[in-house]
Amino acid sequence: MDPQTALFQQHRPRLFGLAYRMLGTPADAEDVLHDAWLRWHAQDTAALDDPEAWLVTVTTRLALDRLRRAKVEREHYPGPWLPEPLVDDTAPAGDAGSDTPEAMLERDQTLTLSFLTLLERLGPDERAAFLLNEVFDYSHAEAAAILGIAENACRQRVHRARARLREDRPRFSVDARAQQRLLQRFVAAMERPTLESLQALFAEDAIHISDGGGVVAATLHPLHGAERLARLYLQIAHNTRLQPLRYGLLMLNGAPTLLAWSGNTLTTAIWVEGDGERITAIHALRHPGKLAKLAATVTNPEAGASLH
């Protein structure tokens, strides 16, 4: 491996971690890194004072351009848009600098599908500034230089992003074990479904968000309320009673995710937020294109953690 390629590969995990958090899909992040590599390969790297800063700047701006285009496209997306999970360890723990236990935990939390979903509420410029400053630990001055804006403008973007995320962030934060217990209770209720048992799973103000991409059946708008969610899942259980869904539990993006199979077809990936006792938000990724890589990798529906 030549020195130029070796240097790019050295920084690749960090660059991918940034691009993926910006875009929410591994394929788009890989495309950004491919474009960054082409520019890097054409660059006289010996003339660079700070190769890492150059790579982060190019990757950020490429991702920002792609996200702006994606935001326009997502305005016409049929129903809610949900991020696509990482199937393998493409963005290892060292992608954001410090490897202290606290820093690693914080990085894991910024890779969860729930957090990526929350980031979708930010505009592209706010998202880029927030990630650079809050997740990748660049100062306001450094982030401003990467984005090509004034430092005060960068500071304002980060402030707006923080305020918006604080307003929309779940009121409760539960660990992976608590999320797994909620998913296990969900599976138990789906195996013997009644309106009462399903309704008991959800907080009164729980929300359901589903992404079918207009390809498969999914709710086109978020649903609110324990009773409405219970009726939805009771209907799903009844619709699949001739071929009951099978479930497997895997850790994806640092959090437990429930995989639902109909026969040998992966139909849904589900992740939840909760208050420790009940589900406050449930996300159902049903888009076959977003599930394809996951389905090809997890060939055994029974793979993953025990559900009992």
Side-chain angles (χ1 to χ4, degrees):
M1 187 182 297
D2 64 86
Q4 188 178 23
T5 302
L7 191 57
F8 184 88
Q9 291 298 329
Q10 175 186 337
H11 296 296
R12 193 183 192 285
R14 184 178 183 83
L15 301 176
F16 181 87
L18 173 60
Y20 176 64
R21 288 174 176 89
M22 280 285 291
L23 297 164
T25 65
D28 284 344
E30 290 289 358
D31 286 346
V32 164
L33 259 63
H34 177 70
D35 291 346
W37 160 249
L38 292 177
R39 297 190 184 198
W40 173 253
H41 189 65
Q43 176 70 29
D44 179 10
T45 55
L48 297 176
D49 293 331
D50 189 341
E52 180 183 346
W54 189 95
L55 284 167
V56 171
T57 299
V58 168
T59 300
T60 300
R61 294 184 183 183
L62 287 169
L64 189 53
D65 287 344
R66 183 174 284 257
L67 181 59
R68 287 171 179 149
R69 295 194 300 271
K71 282 289 188 181
V72 174
E73 294 171 0
R74 290 172 195 173
E75 289 178 2
H76 306 285
Y77 193 81
W81 186 95
L82 291 175
E84 181 181 335
L86 290 169
V87 174
D88 49 25
D89 191 15
T90 317
D95 67 353
S98 171
D99 284 323
T100 64
E102 294 80 6
M104 292 173 67
L105 176 61
E106 184 173 351
R107 278 200 302 278
D108 286 346
Q109 292 172 341
T110 66
L111 266 179
T112 65
L113 295 166
S114 290
F115 186 76
L116 294 176
T117 303
L118 192 63
L119 287 178
E120 283 296 305
R121 305 183 189 187
L122 300 179
D125 296 321
E126 291 175 346
R127 186 166 179 164
F130 175 83
L131 288 172
L132 288 169
N133 181 249
E134 292 289 310
V135 177
F136 289 86
D137 296 325
Y138 289 101
S139 68
H140 290 293
E142 291 169 330
I146 291 169
L147 295 170
I149 60 176
E151 180 178 347
N152 189 51
C154 181
R155 194 181 299 274
Q156 289 176 350
R157 288 179 184 179
V158 174
H159 176 74
R160 287 197 303 267
R162 279 201 206 112
R164 185 167 300 178
L165 294 180
R166 189 181 305 116
E167 177 182 330
D168 294 336
R169 189 182 292 270
R171 291 169 298 154
F172 307 98
S173 179
V174 296
D175 60 19
R177 290 184 179 178
Q179 290 173 318
Q180 180 172 323
R181 287 195 298 270
L182 289 171
L183 287 170
Q184 289 169 330
R185 287 177 54 201
F186 173 81
V187 170
M190 289 294 285
E191 289 176 343
R192 294 186 176 181
T194 66
L195 184 62
E196 293 73 19
S197 64
L198 286 164
Q199 190 167 339
L201 290 171
F202 301 109
E204 285 304 313
D205 58 351
I207 183 172
H208 162 90
I209 298 174
S210 182
D211 176 358
V215 182
V216 297
T219 53
L220 293 178
H221 303 282
L223 296 181
H224 298 266
E227 184 177 352
R228 292 187 73 189
L229 271 59
R231 291 189 182 281
L232 169 68
Y233 281 101
L234 183 63
Q235 184 65 49
I236 292 172
H238 286 168
N239 289 345
T240 58
R241 63 185 181 275
L242 297 180
Q243 186 176 29
L245 296 173
R246 291 181 292 165
Y247 296 97
L249 191 62
L250 288 181
M251 292 294 290
L252 293 175
N253 290 54
T257 305
L258 188 67
L259 305 183
W261 302 77
S262 178
N264 292 321
T265 301
L266 176 61
T267 64
T268 316
I270 297 170
W271 61 94
V272 298
E273 299 157 15
D275 59 10
E277 295 297 327
R278 293 180 298 175
I279 294 170
T280 57
I282 182 165
H283 302 84
L285 179 61
R286 293 183 43 76
H287 193 314
K290 294 183 180 182
L291 295 174
K293 187 175 180 182
L294 181 58
T297 303
V298 187
T299 55
N300 177 11
E302 305 301 329
S306 172
L307 289 165
H308 300 288

